[in-house]
Amino acid sequence: MRRNLVFNSWLLILGIFYFGIGSLVNQTFITESTLTYLILIVKYFITIIGGYQVLRDTSKSELLLILIIGCLTVFLQIFIFYNPLTDGSRYSGFYLNPNSLGFICIMGYGLTFSMDKNWKLIGQIIFTIVGFLTFSRTFIIVWLLINVLAIRLSIKNIRTLLVGGVLLIGLITYNSFLPNSNARLDAMTKIFEGKSKNTSKLEEGGRTETWANFYPFIYSQPIFGNGYGAFSGNGVGGAAGVHNAYLKVIGEAGIFAFLIFILIFIMLIKNSYDIFLNQPHLFLMSTGLSLFLLTNHNYFDSGYVLFFTMWLQFQTKEQIDK
C-alpha cells in the first residue's frame, strides 16, 4: 500500500533556521561557489525528506548488516589498499575519515543490544576491534559509557567491558601488524610497558582547547551568529574548525537555531530513556550520537549522521506509540 509523503518536521525547521539565518547574517565565510553552496542546501533537504522515506522501511537487522559490512572495509584499507603516501596512521576504511568510521562503530555497537545472543556477540566484537583501530578518543569514551549503562540491563554485561579491555591490551601489545605506527598507540604501548609516563600524545589536539578559541565569537554574536561557515576551517577561529556541532550551530546561526537543535536531542534522549529497559539500543545509540556531536561539526553535510538522527527519532516514536 502506498504511503503518504511524510518528512521530519524537526529537521526541516532546523534547516530553514540554520541555513536561512547563517546565509543572511554574513556571506564572508561561504568558501564554496554559489552553485556548490546551493547544492549542499538542496542535498540536506533531499536527505531529510527522501531519506526519511527510506529509513522508515529500514529494519534493525538490515541496518546492522550494512554497518558491519562498512566497518569491515577497514581491513581492506589496512591489508590491500593501504597507501603510505596518502593514508595516515589512523584507519577509516572506505569512510575515508577515521572519526566517521568511529561514529559508525558507536552506532553499530549500540544497535547490537537489540539483537539475539549470537549476532550481539559478533557485532560487539567487530565494532569494538574496528572502533579501536580508528584510534578515536571519542569512540573509546562512548564505548566505555555504553557498557557502563548496559550494566543496568544485566550485571552480565560487565563481561563485555572485560572482553573489550583484553582486545585493547592485545592491540597495544601486538600492534606491529599495522602498516604504519600511530602516535597515540605508541604512547599507550610505552605507558603500558612502563617505559614512559608521557601522555602528551594522547592529549594532543584536545577538543576543549579547540572549543575555547570560538567562545569569544559566540559571546559577541549570540542572537544571529557569525554566519554560515564561520565556525568551520579557516573561519573566525583559524585553520581548524570548532569540532562541536552544538557550538557550530549557535556560533553560525545564533540562539534560535541552537534552541531547536538542542531540543531535538533533549527530546530524543528523554523519549528513548523512557523505554530504555524494553528497547535499550535506542537510548544507547541516542546517547552515543549526542556525545559524538560534541567532537564533530559535520552535521548538516553528513548524510549518515542525519540518517541516524531521523532513524532514532522514528524508531523511538514507533515504540512509544505502541
Side-chain angles (χ1 to χ4, degrees), residues 24-191:
L24 293 174
V25 168
N26 190 347
Q27 297 82 42
T28 304
F29 304 104
I30 300 178
T31 56
E32 305 94 340
S33 66
T34 302
L35 178 61
T36 301
Y37 179 57
L38 291 175
I39 290 174
L40 185 151
I41 296 175
V42 171
K43 284 173 62 178
Y44 172 84
F45 288 104
I46 288 176
T47 300
I48 65 171
I49 296 174
Y52 196 68
Q53 300 293 317
V54 174
L55 67 88
R56 295 170 71 208
D57 296 319
T58 303
S59 67
K60 294 181 293 186
S61 57
E62 290 171 336
L63 186 56
L64 182 72
L65 181 60
I66 292 170
L67 296 180
I68 287 177
I69 293 173
C71 283
L72 292 178
T73 62
V74 74
F75 296 106
L76 294 177
Q77 177 196 7
I78 291 175
F79 297 112
I80 299 178
F81 298 110
Y82 181 76
N83 184 344
L85 298 179
T86 58
D87 294 342
S89 56
R90 297 175 62 197
Y91 303 98
S92 56
F94 290 178
Y95 288 95
L96 306 180
N97 185 303
N99 294 325
S100 299
L101 179 57
F103 171 73
I104 295 300
C105 290
I106 289 171
M107 293 295 97
Y109 193 83
L111 184 60
T112 61
F113 286 90
S114 68
M115 299 293 138
D116 60 35
K117 184 177 180 180
N118 291 332
W119 275 108
K120 178 180 179 181
L121 178 61
I122 293 171
Q124 287 184 345
I125 290 175
I126 291 174
F127 293 124
T128 298
I129 292 175
V130 175
F132 286 159
L133 287 173
T134 66
F135 302 105
S136 167
R137 290 166 294 193
T138 302
F139 170 81
I140 294 175
I141 292 171
V142 175
W143 179 88
L144 287 170
L145 178 60
I146 287 176
N147 282 293
V148 169
L149 292 172
I151 294 175
R152 184 183 174 190
L153 301 172
S154 171
I155 191 63
K156 294 180 181 179
N157 285 326
I158 199 171
R159 294 180 298 187
T160 311
L161 272 173
L162 299 176
V163 172
V166 171
L167 291 173
L168 180 59
I169 292 173
L171 179 61
I172 292 173
T173 306
Y174 303 102
N175 64 77
S176 57
F177 78 92
L178 297 174
N180 195 13
S181 62
N182 177 271
R184 296 177 185 176
L185 183 60
D186 288 342
M188 286 190 290
T189 301
K190 291 178 181 178
I191 292 171

Side-chain angles (χ1 to χ4, degrees), residues 188-200:
M188 286 190 290
T189 301
K190 291 178 181 178
I191 292 171
F192 181 73
E193 294 174 347
K195 295 180 180 180
S196 173
K197 295 183 180 180
N198 184 7
T199 62
S200 59

Side-chain angles (χ1 to χ4, degrees), residues 266-282:
I266 289 175
M267 292 177 59
L268 183 59
I269 292 291
K270 189 266 180 189
N271 291 338
S272 60
Y273 180 76
D274 289 343
I275 54 175
F276 175 59
L277 295 180
N278 294 324
Q279 302 290 332
H281 66 291
L282 295 175

